[in-house]
């Protein structure tokens, strides 16, 4: 009867020593077991790479042997291996900053990269934001082809995320460039999700015969597809509500008429909303049947389970609240139940200087039973 308490105290002391030494890291959240079909919960976090300055876009190569990571304000592109070895492979020409949120933003790797070596970037340029294509042979970036330009820019609200869909087409998120009326203008490229071919043409079958796939967005910076090929999007609200949306072709997501949920005819409501202090969402990824959303102002990783194969979601749960600062990008690791999560504590709203940002690996498991 007396041995068990002594053993518990000994285990606790060892755990404290390990945490103090930095050999393990605590998850500052009470973990719960995940339903068997929804893909698990975060069970551990470790540092992959440090010394970054505003890493913004991350996209894995199809072979899973490395990822491309962009730095927003330096316009540099790096190759990063699974164990965190970082090598600069080039810069993106003609990129400029806006003194706010513009610069070198999203990255995407062609699903057929092994044969065509094509990679794609979204960046701010002299006349506005662009989607461009370059060649990456595994060692260096070369060439530069503009696929789409003239997307209005501003200091803030530039969007910037790129993602390939199961259809092999390229999706891009664009902000309203601080001109909210553009989000409802079907003739504008701003405040939209765009869909295009890898040669820069509007995708066949787009709902309005243009680049526009959906409209009514304020500043979307998260795009990811689930196991059913559906597109989920994370979006900054204005002063009230941030959003997680399920994107459908031709749908109108309400901005500036609506922020968060509303009852206006013809507007599509979000699946989840947050107060802006709890979220300010940027990157988004799906592991299993769960959406993970990186929060900047909220300084946390949100977990939102999809309910089976329906369009509904369960309650959102926060992880790592305040532990690592501003979380910018979250990306699934190919072939693994893992995420890479990057910070942008070196940006205008962060408290760190140049080189203060990190990339973390989050392991997804079933949690305690």
């Amino acid at each position: 009867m007396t041995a068990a308490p002594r053993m518990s105290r000994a285990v606790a002391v060892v755990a404290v020593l390990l945490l103090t030494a930095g050999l393990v890291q605590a998850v500052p959240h009470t973990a719960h077991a995940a339903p068997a079909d929804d893909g698990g919960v975060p069970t551990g976090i470790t540092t992959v790479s440090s010394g970054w300055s505003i890493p913004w876009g991350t996209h894995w190569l199809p072979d899973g042997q490395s990822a491309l990571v962009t730095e927003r304000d330096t316009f540099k592109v790096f190759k990063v291996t699974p164990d965190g070895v970082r090598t600069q492979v080039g810069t993106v020409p003609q990129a400029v900053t806006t003194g706010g949120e513009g610069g070198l933003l999203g990255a995407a790797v062609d699903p057929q990269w092994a044969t065509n070596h094509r990679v794609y970037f979204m960046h701010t340029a002299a006349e506005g934001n662009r989607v461009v294509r370059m060649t990456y042979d595994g060692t260096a970036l070369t060439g530069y082809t503009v696929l789409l330009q003239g997307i209005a820019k501003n200091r803030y609200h530039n969007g910037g995320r790129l993602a390939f869909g199961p259809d092999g087409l390229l999706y891009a998120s664009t902000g309203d460039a601080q001109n909210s009326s553009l989000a409802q203008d079907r003739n504008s490229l701003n405040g939209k999700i765009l869909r295009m071919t890898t040669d820069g043409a509007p995708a066949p079958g787009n709902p309005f015969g243009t680049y526009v796939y959906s409209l009514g967005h304020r500043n979307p910076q998260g795009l990811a597809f689930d196991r059913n090929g559906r597109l989920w999007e994370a979006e900054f609200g204005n002063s009230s509500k941030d959003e997680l949306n399920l994107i459908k072709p031709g749908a109108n997501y309400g901005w500036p008429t609506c922020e968060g949920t509303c009852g206006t005819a013809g507007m599509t409501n979000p699946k989840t909303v947050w107060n802006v202090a709890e979220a300010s969402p940027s990157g988004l990824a799906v592991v299993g049947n769960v959406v993970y959303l990186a929060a900047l102002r909220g300084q946390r990783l949100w977990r939102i389970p999809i309910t089976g194969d329906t369009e509904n979601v369960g309650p959102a749960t926060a992880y790592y609240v305040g532990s690592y600062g501003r979380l910018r990008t979250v990306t699934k690791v190919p072939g693994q139940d893992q995420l890479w999560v990057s910070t942008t504590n070196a940006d205008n709203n962060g408290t760190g200087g140049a080189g203060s940002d990190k990339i973390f690996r989050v392991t997804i498991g079933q949690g305690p039973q």
Side-chain angles (χ1 to χ4, degrees):
M1 292 178 63
T2 58
R6 284 199 299 269
M7 181 62 69
S8 298
R9 286 194 293 270
V11 170
V13 169
V14 171
V16 169
L17 290 173
L18 288 173
L19 284 167
T20 303
L23 296 177
V24 297
Q25 292 175 280
V27 178
H29 175 84
T30 302
H32 300 283
D37 66 345
D38 79 357
V41 297
T43 56
I45 183 169
T46 57
T47 301
V48 173
S49 181
S50 58
W52 292 87
S53 297
I54 318 179
W56 207 99
T58 300
H59 202 290
W60 283 84
L61 274 69
D63 61 9
Q65 298 304 301
S66 61
L68 292 181
V69 180
T70 65
E71 280 192 336
R72 189 189 71 187
D73 289 4
T74 68
F75 319 134
K76 295 176 181 178
V77 182
F78 297 86
K79 175 177 72 174
V80 186
T81 65
D83 58 359
V85 177
R86 174 177 57 182
T87 306
Q88 185 180 343
V89 297
T91 59
V92 174
Q94 302 182 39
V96 302
T97 66
T98 64
E101 295 173 347
L104 178 55
L105 303 173
V109 178
D110 198 296
Q112 305 304 316
W113 175 83
T115 55
N116 64 28
H117 289 174
R118 290 177 167 182
V119 296
Y120 306 80
F121 301 100
M122 189 165 178
H123 73 84
T124 310
E127 84 293 336
N129 292 306
R130 297 178 180 177
V131 178
V132 304
R133 188 178 70 214
M134 297 184 73
T135 298
Y136 173 61
D137 64 2
T139 302
L141 282 174
T142 57
Y144 179 84
T145 301
V146 177
L147 301 184
L148 179 63
Q149 62 183 354
I151 305 165
K153 68 177 181 179
N154 212 319
R155 184 177 184 185
Y156 302 109
H157 301 190
N158 293 289
R161 197 69 62 182
L162 296 178
F164 271 97
D167 52 14
L169 296 167
L170 183 61
Y171 293 72
S173 69
T174 68
D176 67 7
Q178 298 178 263
N179 181 353
S180 60
S181 65
L182 296 180
Q184 291 296 322
D185 182 355
R186 291 187 183 181
N187 296 316
S188 170
L189 296 171
N190 287 86
K192 309 294 190 296
I193 307 298
L194 309 178
R195 186 173 71 154
M196 68 192 75
T197 70
T198 55
D199 290 324
N206 278 357
F208 310 117
T210 65
Y211 287 97
V212 175
Y213 190 72
S214 63
L215 68 154
H217 301 291
R218 181 176 179 269
N219 191 21
Q221 288 188 1
L223 296 175
F225 291 85
D226 67 15
R227 67 187 184 186
N228 292 305
R230 300 176 300 189
L231 178 60
W232 295 82
E233 174 252 26
E235 183 164 338
F236 288 90
N238 182 26
S239 58
S240 177
K241 298 297 182 183
D242 296 322
E243 301 177 0
L244 171 69
N245 290 301
L246 178 58
I247 302 299
K248 295 187 176 183
N252 186 333
Y253 291 84
W255 177 253
T257 304
C258 304
E259 181 182 356
T261 302
C262 73
T264 302
M267 306 292 181
T268 300
N269 280 325
K271 295 300 180 181
T272 301
V273 297
W274 295 268
N275 296 325
V276 295
E278 299 172 326
S280 297
S282 183
L284 184 152
V286 177
V287 176
N289 206 32
V290 176
V291 175
Y292 292 92
L293 183 148
L296 292 164
R297 184 176 172 187
Q299 299 189 14
R300 64 198 73 183
L301 180 69
W302 284 103
R303 176 191 184 274
I304 310 99
I306 303 170
T307 306
D309 294 320
T310 73
E311 296 184 357
N312 302 318
V313 298
T317 307
Y319 289 79
Y320 315 122
V321 179
S323 296
Y324 305 107
R326 293 166 59 78
L327 303 186
R328 171 69 65 177
T329 297
V330 55
T331 309
K332 185 184 183 302
V333 178
Q336 305 290 330
D337 289 334
Q338 296 178 354
L339 298 166
W340 272 16
V341 179
S342 64
T343 70
T344 50
N345 293 315
D347 68 12
N348 296 356
N349 294 309
T351 57
S356 64
D357 287 313
K358 296 181 179 181
I359 298 174
F360 298 97
R361 179 186 295 108
V362 174
T363 301
I364 308 298
Q366 285 302 309
Q369 301 300 314

